[in-house]
Amino acid sequence: VASSELELGGIKIAKDDVVRDDPTNNVPDTIFSKMGMQLHRRNNHPLGILKNGIYEYFDSNYPNLFDKFDDLCPIVSVKQNFDDVLVPADHVSRSYNDTYYVDSKTVLRCHTSAHQAELLRRGHTHFLVTGDVYRRDSIDSTHYPVFHQMEGVRVFTPDNWEASGLDPTSYAAEDLKKSLEGLARHLFGAVEMRWIDAYFPFTNTSYELEIYFKEKWMEVLGCGVMEQEILKSNGRSDSVAWAFGLGLERLAMVLFDIPDIRLFWTNDERFTSQFSEGQMGVKFKPFSKYPPCYKDMSFWINESFTENNLCEVVRGIAGDLVEEVSLIDNFTNKKGLTSHCYRVAYRSMERSLTDEEINDLQWNVREQVQKKLNVVLR
Ligand code: PHE
């Protein structure tokens, strides 16, 4: 049961202030109930263990240099989340389909980059920000609407690069690559790595770091040289900086062999008891999986239909009992009507579900999908 008040970064927040019946609000109850969990602040949870492991890398290579923040409030302004980091006005990430809005000017942060500008303004030049981030998304074993990121920023002043003979941007880019290759080795050991050109509104040039792990190239993080405009707007026009952002779940799933992203949220002792403080990369031993149950449903969609909205409805009813929602058939008839067939996989990680329970859920889902999404069931 979700409590109706939360304490976030020392601020008390009432559920009614976040979850409202208001057209500019799209935060469901299920999301509010995740906001106070602070998984990344539990030292014996895989996300906390990973956070501490990354801290350890920065502390041993840059003693006393990086300031750490892990309880900044996830409710931020549109300005902090988007404008301050130069996200274009028409960027998809700003849409109600992708982001949770508390009201037209306030969102649940969709990345920890939302804190770059304010921390620069407060005078910090080296910092790590860890926190829960929120994105409306589809449902499968690696996607969950709440996950955790760590942001890192390092600012340089002219005396740093002048001695090097490099121009400021190249100097920052070289330092960035060296630091993050070191981090990847700290976490993954001696792995092959490569740098891929990328795009982020807040960095230029931008890169993704990939490592070769279990016979596959895997993205580890996004990063780049901070856009000069961000430094300039926040009192650092004389400086250059680098920034990176990484998803803790992605990395923890690989490092600890965790097969399903929902497991991070379980209180089942068969999961939680397998991890302890400082034990980085201990392999998770799966406990017996209960059987899944699949239910298909077909409907004619309309122009405003999106898969994210469908997943929100399903999750609102089935919560963590839904493992995956996948499109299995899609066609358009002669009259131009488009039909989608979705398969919903129900599975509990803690117990076996009864037929009756699943049928109830599915009936509820069908009813709500029809009502809330204005589609016509077939
Ligand atoms: N904010 C980016 C994301 O969420 C990651 C990032 C952070 C990229 C900082 C570059 C610099 O995908």
Side-chain angles (χ1 to χ4, degrees):
V1 183
S3 103
S4 60
E5 199 175 79
L6 289 178
E7 177 125 9
L8 296 169
I11 309 164
K12 279 217 166 74
I13 292 159
K15 176 152 129 191
D16 297 347
D17 295 335
V18 182
V19 180
R20 291 191 308 246
D21 191 9
D22 164 349
T24 67
N25 182 294
N26 62 354
V27 183
D29 244 37
T30 47
I31 292 295
F32 181 81
S33 69
K34 297 288 187 289
M35 286 187 43
M37 299 290 283
Q38 313 258 335
L39 301 180
H40 61 287
R41 301 182 69 199
R42 302 184 188 173
N43 292 329
N44 52 10
H45 186 280
L47 298 177
I49 299 168
L50 176 54
K51 179 195 77 175
N52 290 331
I54 301 173
Y55 280 1
E56 194 182 281
Y57 169 76
F58 283 98
D59 285 343
S60 57
N61 288 280
Y62 311 92
N64 299 317
L65 204 50
F66 280 84
D67 300 321
K68 306 180 194 77
F69 301 88
D70 73 354
D71 72 342
L72 300 178
C73 184
I75 303 169
V76 301
S77 63
V78 165
K79 179 175 177 294
Q80 288 172 291
N81 197 75
F82 296 121
D83 304 340
D84 285 354
V85 282
L86 316 178
V87 175
D90 59 356
H91 197 275
V92 283
S93 65
R94 289 188 185 245
S95 71
Y96 272 68
N97 190 51
D98 287 33
T99 290
Y100 290 107
Y101 279 78
V102 172
D103 60 42
S104 64
K105 293 197 161 73
T106 315
V107 297
L108 305 187
R109 67 182 163 212
C110 72
H111 55 180
T112 43
S113 304
H115 300 288
Q116 281 186 11
E118 65 180 274
L119 291 173
L120 288 172
R121 250 183 343 261
R122 277 159 56 181
H124 297 282
T125 56
H126 295 76
F127 53 88
L128 301 170
V129 180
T130 313
D132 37 336
V133 300
Y134 297 77
R135 292 187 195 174
R136 297 186 85 229
D137 214 333
S138 48
I139 302 178
D140 65 32
S141 67
T142 61
H143 291 90
Y144 199 79
V146 190
F147 61 101
H148 297 77
Q149 285 189 329
M150 187 189 292
E151 189 90 2
V153 169
R154 179 175 196 187
V155 179
F156 300 98
T157 51
D159 43 300
N160 292 120
W161 67 78
E162 273 164 12
S164 75
L166 292 171
D167 66 89
T169 309
S170 316
Y171 179 82
E174 285 216 349
D175 187 87
L176 170 68
K177 288 182 174 176
K178 243 186 11 231
S179 306
L180 295 179
E181 284 169 9
L183 173 62
R185 269 193 301 275
H186 176 76
L187 297 176
F188 292 93
V191 284
E192 219 187 312
M193 303 180 209
R194 67 181 186 192
W195 289 98
I196 309 285
D197 289 327
Y199 163 79
F200 300 104
F202 24 91
T203 49
N204 188 8
T205 46
S206 308
Y207 312 93
E208 273 164 11
L209 174 60
E210 293 190 341
I211 62 167
Y212 197 68
F213 196 78
K214 293 197 175 152
E215 273 131 56
K216 274 206 292 257
W217 285 102
M218 182 186 93
E219 184 201 322
V220 174
L221 52 80
C223 65
V225 177
M226 190 181 284
E227 281 285 1
Q228 205 54 41
E229 195 180 329
I230 300 177
L231 289 161
K232 211 167 108 195
S233 311
N234 296 288
R236 290 271 161 201
S237 34
D238 58 331
S239 305
V240 291
W242 55 241
F244 72 84
L246 57 81
L248 291 176
E249 275 84 350
R250 265 179 88 69
L251 299 187
M253 286 179 84
V254 174
L255 287 164
F256 296 88
D257 269 354
I258 296 170
D260 190 306
I261 197 166
R262 291 176 302 165
L263 283 164
F264 291 106
W265 297 92
T266 187
N267 289 321
D268 192 321
E269 280 192 15
R270 290 171 302 172
F271 179 80
T272 55
S273 67
Q274 292 193 34
F275 307 98
S276 43
E277 186 164 356
Q279 301 290 300
M280 180 69 137
V282 168
K283 299 300 177 217
F284 170 64
K285 290 181 215 57
F287 39 86
S288 66
K289 268 197 161 190
Y290 294 97
C293 177
Y294 302 101
K295 294 282 173 188
D296 295 350
M297 80 179 154
S298 300
F299 46 79
W300 301 106
I301 63 162
N302 55 35
E303 264 141 48
S304 64
F305 175 82
T306 70
E307 205 165 295
N308 284 356
N309 288 342
L310 171 67
C311 288
E312 195 85 86
V313 171
V314 179
R315 207 189 325 267
I317 292 156
D320 285 357
L321 297 181
V322 49
E323 177 172 87
E324 183 157 5
V325 176
S326 46
L327 181 64
I328 56 170
D329 189 39
N330 175 6
F331 70 90
T332 302
N333 72 6
K334 287 188 194 123
K335 292 184 193 157
L337 287 174
T338 298
S339 166
H340 280 185
C341 180
Y342 283 94
R343 175 159 295 169
V344 182
Y346 295 99
R347 189 206 305 258
S348 165
M349 283 171 301
E350 283 130 27
R351 63 199 174 79
S352 153
L353 302 171
T354 65
D355 281 345
E356 198 189 348
E357 182 176 16
I358 292 166
N359 287 334
D360 277 358
L361 287 174
Q362 183 66 7
W363 272 114
N364 238 315
V365 165
R366 291 174 65 89
E367 190 185 303
Q368 293 293 318
V369 160
Q370 183 155 245
K371 202 163 108 198
K372 293 198 171 143
L373 305 180
N374 265 312
V375 300
V376 180
L377 292 175
R378 302 182 51 211

